[in-house]
Amino acid sequence: MNYFETEFIHYKNNQLYVEEVPAEELVKKFGTPLYVYSRNHFINQYKKFDSAFKEIDHQIFFAMKSNFNLSVIDTFVKLGSGVDVNSEGELFRALKTNVSSNKIILTGVGKTKNEIRLGLEKNVLMIKAECEEEVELINKIAGEMNQVASVALRVNPDVDAQTHPYISTGLSKNKFGIDTETAMSIYRRRNQFRNIQFTGIDMHIGSQITSIDPFLEAISKMSEMYFTLKSEKLKLKHFDIGGGIGVEYNSEKSFSIEEFASKTISLFKKLDCKILFEPGRFLTANGGILLTEVLYNKRNGNKKFIIVDSAMNDLLRPTIYQAYHHIQPVLKFENREIQTADIVGPVCETGDYFARDREISETKSGEYLAVMSAGAYAMTMASNYNARRRAPEIIIDGEQIIIARSRETFEHLLWDEKII
Ligand code: LLP
């Protein structure tokens, strides 16, 4: 079978290590299911991204929806990152880290009045508006608060990001953003919105995008808008291209950040404003694993199942996007046969699986498996279905083991619930 390894998560003497710590030691100490992150993977990815664009005036805003553990967010903040928040809850979390509020941008297709008010109260760098009614509402609320809101319009450039339909956001049939014509008309009516200053233009065309072309197409459409607005005396400060850069989960070929930079920098240089990026997955996906114990091996007719103690409530991506995550043993044993099996969890749903018809070496009950590339959209999408507690999150930094979040207790799950 194939093994998925990275600079910081790999095998040494047939044992899976996260940085300098064997995964086996972690499962013995903290139990399973268990999320483990490599801090140096996060740092490396951030530095790679940042330095690829060092020639131009830019700022990274970590998309915390990919991984909202406070220590993870703070790792990026300490490197100079801002944070892209998508809800009141994310704003609340972000503000618990060392990020200053003027390095936060507030995103979201359906912001509530309260979220807009909070964004203004906290003085976030900008609020992205996703429809005309929202622009009117921001203007009204800012007026009530005697403020001028910094707003960017999220444009829907109608570009096919060629990714899974559920994570494609830049087509006009998707709910996100404002079509280019309407956006231009809003910018042009800027004098009507006395409590808004339009400071930017924004896009986010999808996630796990593995080709640069859709970005180039969208950037060129938005650049055209930028220049037209500039000629009409609206000088925008920020050109925000969102996130979406794909990573390798298996053998798919994505582009490197250096390639991405080399194809886009000349376009950005023409704009003479600050370029904003909102990467999530690129920074976090391959810096995390989900460790799980094998409970049973079973056979239904010809079909083999490996039943593990993690489930769709811990990691939902295979269930809802048929996403591929590599699965491999924590300890490699010699002379194990390769079998084809489904790797499934204990939740009472047929969709509760991590892999179907996967080639994997035979495993025994009580051994451990690692579900790879579980640093993004993994813990943040976890739930308590079947009254399962959410897993702890451990960060490894060299030899250091940091408990970034403990396992929930059953009491946490019952918080403030009563029989009446
Ligand atoms: N900015 C905005 C406005 C976004 O909506 C997103 C992701 C990002 C940035 C970060 O995108 P990234 O660089 O991570 O691709 N749950 C799905 C992914 C949903 C992405 C939602 N938006 C998954 O597990 O694949």
Side-chain angles (χ1 to χ4, degrees):
M1 65 174 282
N2 297 328
Y3 296 95
F4 187 98
E5 295 180 86
T6 65
E7 188 182 344
F8 294 103
I9 306 182
H10 55 197
Y11 289 93
K12 283 186 225 174
N13 306 323
N14 291 331
Q15 282 215 52
L16 187 66
Y17 273 70
V18 179
E19 302 202 10
E20 301 305 321
V21 182
E24 177 90 355
E25 182 186 321
L26 296 170
V27 291
K28 294 267 160 65
K29 212 173 189 154
F30 301 106
T32 48
L34 181 70
Y35 276 108
V36 185
Y37 306 131
S38 155
R39 177 168 270 165
N40 285 297
H41 179 89
F42 296 157
I43 293 174
N44 242 29
Q45 291 296 98
Y46 183 90
K47 287 188 173 166
K48 253 197 241 171
F49 200 121
D50 206 35
S51 90
F53 290 98
K54 63 175 181 292
E55 276 178 57
I56 56 162
D57 186 16
H58 72 280
Q59 175 66 49
I60 295 173
F61 293 83
F62 170 51
M64 63 175 283
K65 54 174 77 74
S66 71
N67 189 320
F68 58 38
N69 183 283
L70 293 183
S71 300
V72 175
I73 301 171
D74 208 55
T75 300
F76 294 118
V77 168
K78 289 209 174 97
L79 294 168
S81 185
V83 185
D84 170 61
V85 308
N86 195 69
S87 67
E88 186 178 343
E90 288 197 350
L91 181 58
F92 175 79
R93 268 179 178 270
L95 290 171
K96 296 278 179 203
T97 71
N98 286 301
V99 74
S100 56
S101 54
N102 65 4
K103 267 187 151 178
I104 292 178
I105 49 188
L106 179 57
T107 305
V109 72
K111 287 180 229 66
T112 62
K113 289 193 191 80
N114 202 35
E115 282 169 332
I116 293 169
R117 203 169 288 124
L118 266 174
L120 291 172
E121 209 175 281
K122 301 292 177 200
N123 230 339
V124 298
L125 180 71
M126 70 184 190
I127 301 180
K128 293 190 244 161
E130 298 218 20
C131 67
E132 194 160 349
E133 287 188 0
E134 188 186 1
V135 175
E136 283 159 12
L137 182 64
I138 297 172
N139 186 51
K140 181 165 171 280
I141 295 174
E144 288 161 9
M145 296 172 73
N146 272 326
Q147 283 194 21
V148 177
S150 299
V151 170
L153 297 185
R154 173 166 174 184
V155 174
N156 181 326
D158 198 20
V159 164
D160 185 357
Q162 294 152 26
T163 184
H164 190 283
Y166 283 10
I167 49 175
S168 174
T169 52
L171 283 167
S172 48
K173 67 176 182 188
N174 302 134
K175 70 176 176 181
F176 298 97
I178 307 173
D179 66 78
T180 51
E181 225 170 276
T182 312
M184 286 305 278
S185 119
I186 297 173
Y187 281 125
R188 284 177 173 142
R189 285 183 283 120
R190 57 191 172 277
N191 292 337
Q192 277 177 19
F193 307 110
R194 299 167 56 103
N195 292 86
I196 284 181
Q197 192 194 354
F198 288 108
T199 52
I201 184 163
D202 166 77
M203 69 181 216
H204 170 75
I205 57 172
S207 197
Q208 184 55 12
I209 302 169
T210 53
S211 148
I212 301 179
D213 293 342
F215 284 104
L216 296 178
E217 197 185 332
I219 292 168
S220 97
K221 282 192 181 176
M222 292 228 314
S223 300
E224 227 174 273
M225 293 173 70
Y226 172 92
F227 287 121
T228 309
L229 292 168
K230 193 174 167 190
S231 73
E232 296 172 11
K233 304 271 177 294
L234 175 61
K235 170 83 176 66
L236 298 172
K237 290 197 279 192
H238 299 134
F239 189 93
D240 181 343
I241 70 148
I245 292 171
V247 299
E248 280 176 29
Y249 284 88
N250 187 15
S251 52
E252 67 271 63
K253 272 279 150 270
S254 194
F255 48 85
S256 72
I257 196 66
E258 292 78 15
E259 265 174 88
F260 184 73
S262 79
K263 290 209 169 142
T264 53
I265 279 182
S266 57
L267 304 174
F268 293 146
K269 276 188 174 164
K270 290 187 191 147
L271 294 169
D272 101 71
C273 68
K274 194 171 198 146
I275 308 301
L276 314 187
F277 301 100
E278 302 165 6
R281 192 188 314 265
F282 177 85
L283 299 179
T284 52
N286 281 323
I289 58 176
L290 172 63
L291 295 171
T292 187
E293 183 180 339
V294 175
L295 299 177
Y296 305 104
N297 284 281
K298 83 175 196 182
R299 204 185 250 283
N300 282 347
N302 284 332
K303 186 103 188 159
K304 282 187 175 172
F305 295 92
I306 300 172
I307 301 170
V308 296
D309 69 349
S310 300
M312 63 187 280
N313 77 294
D314 300 302
L315 178 69
L316 189 58
R317 304 191 68 258
T319 305
I320 61 173
Y321 316 118
Q322 297 79 47
Y324 182 97
H325 284 260
H326 205 78
I327 300 175
Q328 56 198 28
V330 161
L331 298 181
K332 284 191 208 169
F333 294 101
E334 306 289 325
N335 309 322
R336 289 280 173 95
E337 299 238 326
I338 301 295
Q339 58 177 342
T340 302
D342 284 12
I343 296 146
V344 300
V347 159
C348 54
E349 299 271 350
T350 306
D352 177 28
Y353 73 95
F354 291 133
R356 288 200 160 137
D357 294 323
R358 182 69 61 86
E359 284 199 349
I360 184 164
S361 55
E362 280 187 335
T363 59
K364 298 203 169 103
S365 162
E367 292 176 357
Y368 297 101
L369 295 176
V371 183
M372 307 304 285
S373 313
Y377 305 107
M379 183 60 177
T380 53
M381 293 171 71
S383 78
N384 295 117
Y385 188 37
N386 277 194
R388 290 168 56 85
R389 296 169 297 171
R390 282 180 301 162
E393 295 175 287
I394 306 296
I395 297 180
I396 305 298
D397 188 350
E399 288 176 356
Q400 208 190 341
I401 300 171
I402 302 153
I403 306 173
R405 189 179 191 277
S406 306
R407 192 179 302 284
E408 272 174 339
T409 66
F410 291 116
E411 276 70 31
H412 286 140
L413 267 58
L414 287 182
W415 185 77
D416 205 31
E417 199 173 325
K418 11 182 144 25
I419 298 174
I420 43 172

